[in-house]
Amino acid sequence: MPRMKSSFALVLCLLLLGTASACGKGGDGPKAPEAYTIGEESAPPLDDKIEETGQLESVEEEPVEDAQGEAGGKTVYTYKDLPSGGETTKSYAEELEGQGFQVVNETGEPAQAPDYQAESGSVYLAKNAESQQGYRFQIGLDWTEAGCVVTVEMLQGSVGQEREGMTLAEAVEYFKSLSPKLLGLEGASMEEYSVYPIEGTILVDGRPCLRIQAYQHTTEGTNQLAGIYLISGDRLHLYRLDQPEGRVQELPLQGTGIVG
């Protein structure tokens, strides 16, 4: 009889362990990857950013070789039950940018980040492959309200180089071409303002930016400081510096027709 009790206890213990292991993140779905990997390139997975409700629903692999026999292809990971597809995507994209990826378009050229607060959207992040010259390691993110599809690819073609930085004169000319409304200013034209550049650059989100100060003309014939702005050298990012708090707010150039 003591031996039967011991065997029963062992079986019960194994059943409980099996139940516990089956109830982890992801449930009965595919096992979460330790990293997204193609060839010798790898990146941290979105799984590190999803909360307990999120699940990896499916994984589809499409290995491909180009005409030269180089490894390519893609792997598609589908996630569901996210508390917020946009916020999860934003958090993950920021992590990738911290590891050398940058936001690009479908052809690998630098692009502006999307509005992650939208109910649905997409963004591509890529960096040049270290193991294959002339290739880029690219991660596409397509999010919905509670889901995200991650497409991991090795694509032919390097990440496009950002343009050379603007001179101070070019920055002033570019700034004057913007609308006061976009900049949070009054008036119909920047001709109503005096624009002055400040020597040196300031890093914002890791991007070197030129500083521009705009002064509004007053009826007394003097100039009053109306705003301080920071422009990245590639013209893809524009920020307003709020004083005295010192907070930086990015202004939406995308969709205005003046990006670049």
Side-chain angles (χ1 to χ4, degrees):
M1 289 298 290
R3 183 177 300 175
M4 290 180 63
K5 289 182 179 180
S6 177
S7 299
F8 177 77
L10 177 61
V11 171
L12 179 61
C13 181
L14 290 174
L15 287 173
L16 290 173
L17 286 173
T19 302
S21 63
C23 293
K25 188 189 296 185
D28 296 328
K31 182 179 179 181
E34 294 183 2
Y36 295 147
T37 303
I38 293 184
E40 298 180 22
E41 307 298 325
S42 65
L46 178 70
D47 303 76
D48 295 343
K49 294 295 181 182
I50 65 177
E51 299 181 9
E52 290 301 321
T53 57
Q55 295 187 51
L56 175 59
E57 183 176 24
S58 65
V59 179
E60 298 180 15
E61 296 186 31
E62 299 180 20
V64 174
E65 289 189 357
D66 64 17
Q68 286 73 42
E70 297 286 356
K74 65 181 179 181
T75 305
V76 180
Y77 301 84
T78 301
Y79 296 85
K80 65 177 182 178
D81 299 334
L82 303 177
S84 170
E87 287 300 318
T88 302
T89 300
K90 178 182 179 181
S91 177
Y92 179 59
E94 289 175 347
E95 179 181 3
L96 291 179
E97 288 185 273
Q99 298 201 10
F101 286 79
Q102 66 182 98
V103 177
V104 298
N105 59 21
E106 293 185 15
T107 61
E109 297 298 320
Q112 187 179 21
D115 178 9
Y116 293 109
Q117 294 183 350
E119 185 174 309
S120 62
S122 61
V123 62
Y124 298 97
L125 295 105
K127 67 177 181 179
N128 291 330
E130 297 180 3
S131 59
Q132 292 178 242
Q133 187 174 3
Y135 282 75
R136 67 182 184 275
F137 185 43
Q138 182 167 298
I139 298 178
L141 305 170
D142 296 278
W143 79 86
T144 58
E145 185 175 358
C148 186
V149 176
V150 181
T151 303
V152 183
E153 299 179 272
M154 181 75 77
L155 297 173
Q156 193 166 17
S158 301
V159 175
Q161 297 296 314
E162 295 189 0
R163 302 175 199 172
E164 295 182 1
M166 292 183 288
T167 64
L168 290 177
E170 290 171 336
V172 169
E173 181 180 359
Y174 175 72
F175 192 83
K176 286 183 175 180
S177 71
L178 304 177
S179 69
K181 182 178 180 180
L182 171 67
L183 300 169
L185 301 175
E186 300 176 350
S189 168
M190 287 305 297
E191 294 299 323
E192 302 175 28
Y193 294 82
S194 295
V195 178
Y196 299 100
I198 305 299
E199 289 282 355
T201 59
I202 298 176
L203 285 179
V204 181
D205 295 334
R207 305 180 184 99
C209 298
L210 296 176
R211 177 173 170 173
I212 299 290
Q213 296 187 173
Y215 292 83
Q216 188 174 27
H217 303 157
T218 66
T219 55
E220 293 79 12
T222 60
N223 291 330
Q224 180 178 351
L225 181 63
I228 300 174
Y229 301 87
L230 303 167
I231 306 175
S232 63
D234 56 15
R235 300 174 174 85
L236 293 176
H237 302 275
L238 173 64
Y239 306 88
R240 176 167 180 151
L241 177 62
D242 294 327
Q243 293 185 321
E245 295 86 356
R247 292 183 303 215
V248 175
Q249 175 190 6
E250 184 164 11
L251 303 179
L253 287 177
Q254 191 174 24
T256 64
I258 57 176
V259 175

